[in-house]
Amino acid sequence: MKTKLLFPLLGALSYFAGPALAQTDDVPSSKPQAVAPYKTSLGFRTTWGGPSGIDSELRLKHFVGPQSALELQVGQWHYQRAYQASLHYLWQPQLLTSSRLRPYAGLGIGAVGGSRDRFNEKQDMEVGAMLLASVGIEYTFPRLPLAISVDYRHMMLGLNTNNFEYFGHSRISTLGVGLKYTFGK
């Protein structure tokens, strides 16, 4: 019954939304001759909140195109002695109004692992895979080789992450502030 309703609704949506989406020539989304603000950056991201307090992670970002970058993130969550590593593909357009302030959005894959102490007995390390999404904004300073960012990272899907008993989505999804040293132009 649900599929009988779903297909006509999708058909009607595509019929009405198709012409509206096709007429996006008048709406500028990013600068046509965009350039990357830097080639590579190395820095850290600090997150806060919850019982884990303040946590930091190392970030390495490399632009592979004028508006696209790969970012490696490695860090420790102090709660339950857990660690995470992820690789993100980021789309970071250059706006028409500013070349220094750039929003970004991306997807990433990663792994989270940790060990627990239960009844004063150390448990084996467990590892789970995850799919992450991130959105944020970054500002590159004009005369300093520094960039600052504010972002939100959300875990969309986790495989074997339910083994972390008190380690739910709310502790993997984080709001953070980053500071990076930039190399090259």
Side-chain angles (χ1 to χ4, degrees), residues 44-48 57 59 61 71 73 88 90 104-105 133-138 148-154 173-178 180:
F44 66 93
R45 176 180 184 256
T46 301
T47 61
W48 61 90
E57 62 187 29
R59 297 177 114 174
K61 183 176 182 180
E71 185 171 57
Q73 302 173 359
H88 292 252
L90 299 175
Y104 60 89
S134 57
V135 294
I137 192 158
E138 180 180 79
I148 59 171
S149 62
V150 175
D151 62 4
Y152 175 72
R153 184 173 60 206
H154 177 71
S173 302
T174 58
L175 179 66
V177 176
K180 301 176 204 147

Side-chain angles (χ1 to χ4, degrees), residues 11-177:
L13 181 65
S14 65
Y15 177 76
F16 291 112
L21 293 174
Q23 297 176 2
T24 59
D25 295 338
D26 300 338
V27 181
S29 61
S30 64
K31 193 170 182 177
Q33 302 297 324
V35 295
Y38 51 84
K39 193 66 177 167
T40 305
S41 68
L42 178 64
F44 66 93
R45 176 180 184 256
T46 301
T47 61
W48 61 90
S52 62
I54 296 175
D55 296 328
S56 295
E57 62 187 29
L58 186 63
R59 297 177 114 174
L60 177 65
K61 183 176 182 180
H62 181 72
F63 275 88
V64 293
Q67 300 184 87
S68 58
L70 292 174
E71 185 171 57
L72 177 67
Q73 302 173 359
V74 178
Q76 177 183 8
W77 287 308
H78 298 288
Y79 189 73
Q80 296 279 347
R81 285 191 293 272
Y83 302 91
Q84 67 86 21
S86 59
L87 180 65
H88 292 252
Y89 171 80
L90 299 175
W91 176 62
Q92 192 167 1
Q94 181 177 345
L95 302 176
L96 292 173
T97 56
S98 174
S99 63
R100 302 261 176 225
L101 187 66
R102 296 176 79 157
Y104 60 89
L107 288 174
I109 56 172
V112 59
S115 60
R116 297 180 288 185
D117 284 336
R118 182 175 282 181
F119 306 114
N120 293 325
E121 294 179 14
K122 190 166 184 158
Q123 305 290 316
D124 292 335
M125 184 169 194
E126 299 172 347
V127 177
M130 59 187 171
L131 178 65
L132 301 160
S134 57
V135 294
I137 192 158
E138 180 180 79
Y139 179 77
T140 308
F141 289 97
R143 298 179 201 266
L144 296 173
L146 294 176
I148 59 171
S149 62
V150 175
D151 62 4
Y152 175 72
R153 184 173 60 206
H154 177 71
M155 185 175 94
M156 297 172 24
L157 175 68
L159 302 173
N160 199 28
T161 54
N162 58 348
N163 291 341
F164 302 100
E165 195 170 304
Y166 302 106
F167 193 68
H169 290 255
S170 64
R171 290 189 180 87
I172 296 174
S173 302
T174 58
L175 179 66
V177 176

